[in-house]
Amino acid sequence: MADNFQLHVAMFPWLAFGHMIPYLELAKLIAQKGHKISFISTPRNIDRLPKLPPHLSPLINLVKLPLPRIDNLLEGAEVTSDVRYEEVKYLKLAYDGLKEPLTTFLETSHPDWILYDFLPYWLPELASRLGISNGFFSIFIAAMVAYVKPPYLVEYRTTPEDFTVPPKWIPFPTTVAFRLFEALKLFNHSVSAEESHVTDVYRLEKVLKGCDMIAVRGCKEFEPEWLQLLEELHGKPVLPVGFLPTTEYDAGEETETWRSVKEWLDKQEKGKVVYVAFGSEAKPSQDELTEIALGLELSGLPFFWVLKKRRGLVDTEPIELPDGFEERTKGRGIVCTTWAPQLKILGHDAVGGFLTHSGWSSVVEALQNQRALVLLTFLADQGVNARVLEEKKIAYSIPRNDSDGSFTRDSVAESLRMVIVEEEGKLYRDKAREMSSLFGDRDRQDRYVDNLLGYLQSHIKQLTS
C-alpha cells in the first residue's frame, strides 16, 4: 500500500459551534489533500454550518443523524447555544443517544479513522470493536487537556479550591490554574455528578484512556512543554494539528450585513475600535452586562458589540442594556444583537482590540489579525486559556473579585484604554503583532496537517501489512 493512499476519516464533534467549526476547518484541510471526510452531526446543525467551497464538497460528506428526543430538552434544540446553561446536561444525554445510529453508519461506511470529541466516552470501545482506528481530537489547547487527571491516577481534588492551583502531575513551574469563581462554576457543572448524569471529567478520562492517539488544536512553537507532558502522561502519540485559523467561503449571504458594518468601521480612527463579543454560549448576568456597558461608555473608545441577550430557544431571563446607554453612545458605538461577521470585523484596520471570553477560536481569529486581547472569562476551558495567554504576556484580564468573579465599570474602562491606546499597554499590542506570524501562518498550518495525515496513513499501513 502506497504511503499517500486516500484516507476516509469520520469526524464526530460535540454539539457546540465552538467545537464543530474547528472540526470543520480540519475537515477542509484534510479534504484539500484529496482525502474523504464523513462529518457527522445532527440535521439542524449540519444545515447551520458555513457553506463548503464547491471544490471540497465532493470530498466532505455531511452526515445527518437525527437527535433522539430526551425529557427536558426542548424540541429543535440541537446545539449548546439553543439551550440555557443548566440544560446542556440534557443535550449530552441526547448526544449519547446517537450511539446506535452512529454504530450503524460506521458499520456500513467503514472509515479508516474516526476522530471524536471529549464527550462520547463510549466511542473508543465502539470503534475498537468495529476495527476502526480512532483518535481524540481536542479543540482544547494542550494545557487544558493536561489539567485533567490522567486515568491511572487517583483524583485528589475534591473541592473547587483544589482546582485553583496547578495539578501535582505538572512538573514545571506554571501559573496556569482556574481562579476560584471559575472553579466553582466548573465544579458544579463538570466535576460533580448530577442525578444520573456522567460528569465531563469522567467522559474525558475515558476518552483519553481509550483512544489510539490524541490530536490537539495547537502547535509546538506555542506550548511545547504542555504537548510533551501530554505524551508522557498518556503514553500515546500526541499530534498538534495547528491552530486551524478560520477560513471563510463567501457565497454572498453576508454581503449586506458586512457592507453596513464596514461603512461604520471605515469612518473610525485606525486601531481605536473595541470589538466586543463573548461567543455563541456565554451570556453575561444582568450585573455583568451593566458593568460592561457602562465601562465601554466610560472608556470613551468607539466600540462594536455583538451582544447575546438571550441563551437558548426559550430564555425567560433576557438581559437589558442600562437605560439611555444606546442614546448616550450613539455614533460612537454599535450594539448588534444578531449575527455579525467576526473574522471580517477583526480584519479591519479600525479595530485595535478585542474584549473576549477567551474561547480559543476567538483568540486565534484575533491574533491572526494582530488584535490586542482583553479577557473576561465565563465558562469551561476559558480560565485555563486566559492563564496561558496571561503567562505568555499575550493578553490582559480585567481585574475581578476572586470568589464571585464580579468586576466594575471602572476596571473595564481602565483595562480597555490601557491595552488599546495607552503606553502601558504597548506590550500587548506588540505581542499581538508578533503572534500573528504564528497564529496566521498558513504554510505552518499546512505542515501540521501533512504531519497528521502521515501518521494516520502509516498507522493504517502497519495494520494492513
Side-chain angles (χ1 to χ4, degrees):
M1 188 185 288
D3 285 345
N4 59 352
F5 62 95
Q6 186 190 51
L7 286 166
H8 176 195
V9 180
M11 291 186 163
F12 187 56
W14 164 232
L15 307 176
F17 284 112
H19 291 242
M20 288 186 282
I21 298 302
Y23 267 75
L24 190 63
E25 287 300 327
L26 183 58
K28 290 192 289 188
L29 290 166
I30 291 173
Q32 277 177 4
K33 308 284 185 180
H35 302 280
K36 272 178 59 183
I37 297 288
S38 290
F39 189 96
I40 306 161
S41 194
T42 63
R44 195 158 172 252
N45 288 337
I46 293 285
D47 291 343
R48 287 186 282 187
L49 289 173
K51 292 267 190 299
L52 291 171
H55 71 287
L56 295 181
S57 295
L59 287 164
I60 301 178
N61 178 28
L62 299 172
V63 180
K64 297 179 177 180
L65 300 183
L67 195 67
R69 289 299 309 276
I70 294 285
D71 289 344
N72 302 309
L73 185 63
L74 197 68
E75 189 168 359
E78 296 187 7
V79 71
T80 50
S81 55
D82 287 340
V83 299
R84 292 180 303 151
Y85 189 54
E86 304 75 38
E87 296 162 345
V88 172
K89 60 190 176 188
Y90 303 120
L91 194 63
K92 290 170 186 170
L93 290 178
Y95 183 68
D96 289 339
L98 292 171
K99 180 178 179 179
E100 191 175 321
L102 179 63
T103 303
T104 302
F105 173 78
L106 294 175
E107 285 173 336
T108 54
S109 62
H110 309 293
D112 299 300
W113 278 89
I114 181 165
L115 300 180
Y116 46 82
D117 221 319
F118 78 103
L119 281 156
Y121 63 101
W122 38 265
L123 189 42
E125 186 180 339
L126 168 62
S128 297
R129 181 166 57 79
L130 297 176
I132 300 169
S133 298
N134 64 94
F136 165 45
F137 168 37
S138 171
I139 63 101
F140 306 123
I141 59 174
M144 182 63 211
V145 185
Y147 206 81
V148 175
K149 175 186 75 65
Y152 55 85
L153 293 179
V154 175
E155 182 60 85
Y156 67 91
R157 299 172 297 184
T158 57
T159 68
E161 287 77 9
D162 293 334
F163 287 82
T164 62
V165 293
K168 293 175 181 176
W169 52 84
I170 295 177
F172 46 81
T174 180
T175 57
V176 173
F178 289 102
R179 293 183 60 189
L180 183 57
F181 65 89
E182 294 163 339
L184 285 164
K185 191 171 281 191
L186 179 86
F187 200 81
N188 291 338
H189 292 277
S190 302
V191 180
S192 56
E194 236 185 308
E195 301 159 17
S196 61
H197 299 279
V198 180
T199 68
D200 288 356
V201 168
Y202 176 83
R203 289 172 181 272
L204 180 49
E205 284 183 15
K206 290 282 283 184
V207 160
L208 286 166
K209 185 177 182 180
C211 64
D212 294 329
M213 54 81 74
I214 301 167
V216 179
R217 184 185 192 183
C219 68
K220 288 178 181 174
E221 295 84 348
F222 184 72
E223 46 174 358
E225 70 280 27
W226 294 104
L227 287 162
Q228 184 181 335
L229 177 61
L230 274 188
E231 281 210 339
E232 292 167 0
L233 290 175
H234 297 286
K236 55 187 70 176
V238 173
L239 297 168
V241 300
F243 287 121
L244 306 173
T246 308
T247 56
E248 289 188 311
Y249 168 59
D250 191 347
E253 305 95 323
E254 64 194 40
T255 308
E256 283 304 313
T257 306
W258 170 235
R259 190 175 291 134
S260 62
V261 174
K262 184 177 184 299
E263 200 175 292
W264 182 81
L265 287 170
D266 286 344
K267 297 173 186 171
Q268 308 305 315
E269 191 179 345
K270 182 178 177 180
K272 295 295 190 290
V273 173
V274 185
Y275 176 59
V276 186
F278 303 119
S280 60
E281 297 191 40
K283 174 192 165 189
S285 68
Q286 183 60 60
D287 286 346
E288 288 170 338
L289 176 72
T290 299
E291 296 306 313
I292 293 165
L294 297 178
L296 282 167
E297 185 177 347
L298 273 174
S299 75
L301 294 167
F303 62 86
F304 189 98
W305 185 0
V306 182
L307 174 60
K308 189 181 182 72
K309 286 189 173 185
R310 295 174 181 268
R311 173 164 174 166
L313 301 172
V314 180
D315 186 346
T316 56
E317 299 174 355
I319 47 178
E320 299 297 340
L321 290 163
D323 288 345
F325 170 78
E326 288 182 273
E327 292 76 19
R328 293 192 302 272
T329 58
K330 194 170 183 179
R332 174 161 74 83
I334 288 180
V335 179
C336 170
T337 55
T338 57
W339 177 85
Q342 177 162 298
L343 200 58
K344 283 186 165 70
I345 293 170
L346 287 168
H348 196 285
D349 282 349
V351 176
F354 184 9
L355 174 54
T356 173
H357 59 313
S358 77
W360 204 247
S361 289
S362 290
V363 168
V364 171
E365 289 179 5
L367 292 177
Q368 75 183 93
N369 284 296
Q370 308 182 22
R371 303 300 168 230
L373 290 165
V374 181
L375 308 180
L376 193 65
T377 64
F378 289 94
L379 304 166
D381 60 319
Q382 295 162 15
V384 165
N385 293 348
R387 295 309 95 70
V388 168
L389 293 166
E390 291 163 11
E391 191 170 79
K392 294 176 182 292
K393 302 287 190 279
I394 296 171
Y396 180 80
S397 288
I398 289 174
R400 301 172 77 166
N401 179 293
D402 200 52
S403 57
D404 65 9
S406 60
F407 53 91
T408 67
R409 62 200 70 176
D410 291 321
S411 64
V412 172
E414 288 161 10
S415 300
L416 292 173
R417 288 198 59 79
M418 186 270 283
V419 171
I420 293 171
V421 295
E422 291 172 0
E423 183 60 30
E424 189 186 347
K426 187 173 182 294
L427 161 72
Y428 300 103
R429 300 191 292 276
D430 289 347
K431 201 72 175 176
R433 281 191 286 274
E434 179 191 327
M435 286 292 111
S436 68
S437 62
L438 177 59
F439 279 73
D441 186 339
R442 298 286 172 182
D443 290 337
R444 180 184 276 111
Q445 176 63 73
D446 199 51
R447 291 194 295 273
Y448 274 111
V449 174
D450 281 340
N451 186 53
L452 171 69
L453 289 168
Y455 173 82
L456 299 183
Q457 288 173 318
S458 64
H459 181 86
I460 298 299
K461 192 179 176 189
Q462 284 173 7
L463 291 177
T464 54
S465 60

